Amino acid sequence: MAALTLRIDGQAVAVPAGSSLLAATRLAGLALPVLCHLDGLTPVGACRLCLVAIEGQSKLQPACTSEALEGQVVATNTAELRELRRMAVELFFAEGNHVCAYCVASGACELQAMAVTLGMDHSRFPYQYPLRDVDASHPLFSLDANRCILCSRCVRVCAELEGAHVWDIAGRGRHCRLVAGLDQPWGEVDACTSCGQCVEACPTGALFHKDDSTAEKHPHPIRALQLRRVHDLPPRPDP
Amino acid sequence: MVRGEMASGEPVPPRPLAQAGPGGVGADSRISQLVADQQRRAEGLIEVLHRLQALDGYLAKASLRQVAEELGLPLSRVYGVASFYHLFRLEPPQGHRCAVCLGSACFVLGASRLVARLEQRLGLSLEPLAGSANGPPVGLGLPRASQGGQPAPGPGAPPLGPARHPGGWSLEPVSCLGACGQAPLLVLDGALALRLPIADPAALEARLDRLGLPRSPGPQAPGAKEPGAWGPELGLAGKR
Amino acid sequence: MATVGALPRPREPAGELAQGSPVTPGRQLRCCTASGCRAGGAGPLIEALRQAQAVADPAANGLVIKSVGCLRLCSRGPLLAWDGPGGPALFALGSTDPGTAPGAAIGPEQARALVLAAATAPGPDTLAALDLEAWRPQALLPEGSPSPGPSPVGVASAPPPSPGGIGLTWDQMDLDHPFFALQQPLVLLHCGWIDPDSIEEALALGTYGQWRRCRSDLSPEAVRAMVHRSGLRGRGGAGYPTGLKWDTVALQPPGPRFVVCNADEGDPGAFMDRSVLEGDPHRLLEGLAIAAFAVGAESGFLYVRAEYPLAIERLRRALKQAHQKGILGPGTGLELELRVGAGAYVCGEETALLQSIQGQRGQPRPRPPYPAQSGLWGAPTLINNVETLAVVPAILRRGAEWFAAIGTDTSKGTKVFSLSGAVRRTGLVEVPMGTSLRTVVETMGGGVPAAPGSPGGGVKAVQTGGPSGGCIPAHLLDTPVDYESLQALGSAMGSGGMVVVGEAMAMPELARHFMHFSVEESCGKCLPCRAGTVQLEQLLDRLLAGLAEPGELDQLEQLCRMVKATSLCGLGQAAPNPVLSALRHFRAEFLAACRAESPRAAFAREPFPAGPALGPLPGGRP
């Protein structure tokens, strides 16, 4: 298999051709913050946290959707990028209704962890306090849209892996929201197989098991590993 | 509001048709025809929705369900598309539609003052745009300087609902219609009203009276209407 | 090029149909029925004129009454152009009541008088002297009403005393006025001359001749080389070299490919593309066909915004006619299809447009891969703007060198601008690249009239490029209009909207207007545009409400830079531009809108306001 080499944060790394910059960064042993990306799903480049600076390009590029190219020189952790990421996380907190103290996912929430990682202890932007719904119509799971960050991981996992396409994003701009079926109560959507993959894919406490209470949502023990195996590992050479 | 546990305002659409596809029980043959006109291709979805709205005036959920089934698309994808585009309406149209152009040319000539007058006359708020279900953010109880300095409702006031008027009027913004040479303008039930004399308050009031706009909120019969210059093909027409 | 006013008689080789051309009969009335004039009642007007001709005496039979595209001076619509001895001449019908569409108010007697005068007048002056008031329905003839001669273009003559009902004015426009005389129509060459619903008229003027020539005489490489040499750059805003784009698509690995015409003209204050669609649709179809030939595409789409119903109607008819004549469609190697948007500004972004054509939510995706590599259904796809495609036939006909000789070193050819806002004469102007803003706005547009009761007048700024562009202050009006000069000032060429701002407009309020537009039109896919624009609008709200402190301007700029640097598509990346350019050129106005810094804020100033505003402080600015 063809390989190519590039420099990421000063470090030379060799990756299989066709790898994303995100995969290359991980192969170099470096971490990049992501929220909308989930291994195994089509990358969309929506959360803008994995933006990196590529030498010779004036625009920042999302590592998840950009292909690693031979000889690239990439910076993933400059002061400018850190500040932009911090502002992005602040915007995430300000646009929804995120109250960690009462949240089912506290302690296992990727948004919360991101805030801690990036040193964001409060938002400098005014909170918007949008009016959003809670949908508890499904027998096993619930959706609390107050905690939704519109990453669309649930949409993609349901459409691409389960093949049910129960979820989609409706509306536009700040009015975007997650809907099931024809904007129906989740429990009334026949397409739902109750597989629970959307709950596993959700980075926050927006989708959760009904019997979980505050700080009781935990990631599936091996799901992430399985997904990464599907997506990231190079295909095995033919025997 | 916890959905599924208490009655929501939106009627739940009927359960799936006994037999999906053309000719199924309860299937609307008009919709089957629209889908067939697009050779049942998924890429024809937007065109189907356009024609459906031209027939019914809006996109009913039961119709969207049939469109999805006949095009072989997930329900959520059809709803996602229908709710994305501003010109698609998911609720039955009001009796009268008043759309204000907020393009730059109209704005530079004082459209925001026109909006303030219309809001006062109709008792409606221009925002939010159609398609929003969550309402506007309520965090910032700021007066809007562009609306003649009238204070907006504070955080204690009821949230601004969808723009509806007891007399059957709706107020909405419309993106630039490219008639900038005749700015500022508004669209009443699909007809353009041009060159509104915003600089002269008395003339503006007289003009709005002649257009049949009620003087104050509350049900009342609209007065005589000035003839319009443009047909309803804009998709901005009211219920006929 | 010799011009007779704005509308030089098309001088292109008329081709095989030159004899008995329907375009140049003895006498004709060309009625503008494009959207602007239609809103002024052009529809009922042309109907009334035709009915009057049917019942008028035989003298009127020789007159041709036809519907044409934009006649440029939209502020005076409905417009009528007259061809005859001493012509052409341009007339504007007006009404004494600004709220009434003049075209809808014309009475049968008045229409008859107009038709007779047009059919018999020995020269334009006679026609200009026509007194419509004398034929006013059910009204006493006003005694000794003054005979209206040619009035200064764009300025309505004083209405005659009105004895009740609606009075009509009839003014001749001065075609030697700079508004017309400085125009150099390439894109709009036939617009205003031909009936857009008649393919015969288009053919008579040579439309589709270059498409035919491509297929019989030229290779795709030769066509691309010509476009390359012409120096043509994309007219949609970014100014990417068109020849390069065509090469990129053409040189992709073998397989199907598509061409797309982006007619989703969404910038508020822009209506150039609409005028091409409504005035000369066949020219656009020819340009698109040539592009398809040059890149090896066998099918293509025209994506038109739904807000342009007349453009859609005329384009549909044009496509049908071209199919019937065997110029396009089966057997010609090219299938074109029309797709109608549904009200989404973001669909003007190319990747969002492709999504919409495929029946999806119009949300952009990251580039690369560019549509030239992977577009519709994964195939290489060429996307060009209406104006770009419409000028291609002229380049092929007259040669790349001829085109490259027009304009500046880096920006070749002409550009169509839609002039609107507070300016005296609004309408369409097509001028060579490099023309100064002052020429367009003041010499041609007539500047800003003084508001009633206020001493001042004059241009404060010109907003170019719509919500992605910026404003240029009056003292920089001598800037030449080309891609680089406008960009250097923090604005952009954009698609060609030019909104003139008068002294009465506060720049922070204009900045908020554009930010509000971006908030409403954001697709919501990426965070900075979805949430950042909302915060930006609220910061501007605070400022306009007198609640912001001077330090918050830095916060405003910081967030602007964040949204600009991190948004996914061009809409988000450009959304802060109107704010940044207003801050750059009119910072004093922003500072004046701030309240004095409170001691507490000065002590512990944070980069962003920490919570909801509490309302104005006592003694603060209202």
Side-chain angles (χ1 to χ4, degrees), chain C residues 538-560:
Chain C
Q538 287 179 5
L539 275 168
L540 290 166
D541 273 343
R542 277 176 59 83
L543 183 89
L544 288 169
L547 298 175
E549 296 177 358
E552 287 178 39
L553 292 187
D554 300 336
Q555 303 151 5
L556 187 68
E557 276 180 307
Q558 195 186 349
L559 185 54
C560 278

Side-chain angles (χ1 to χ4, degrees), chain C residues 4 20 51 62 64 72 92 119 149 153 224 239 245 270 285 289 298 303 330 349 357 389 438 484 495 546 592 613:
Chain C
V4 183
Q51 277 174 13
V64 173
R72 317 297 194 267
V153 64
R224 296 205 304 274
K245 204 182 217 180
L285 293 181
E298 291 179 351
Y303 186 89
E349 200 277 344
I357 288 182
L389 291 169
R438 189 178 305 283
E484 280 73 21
S495 55

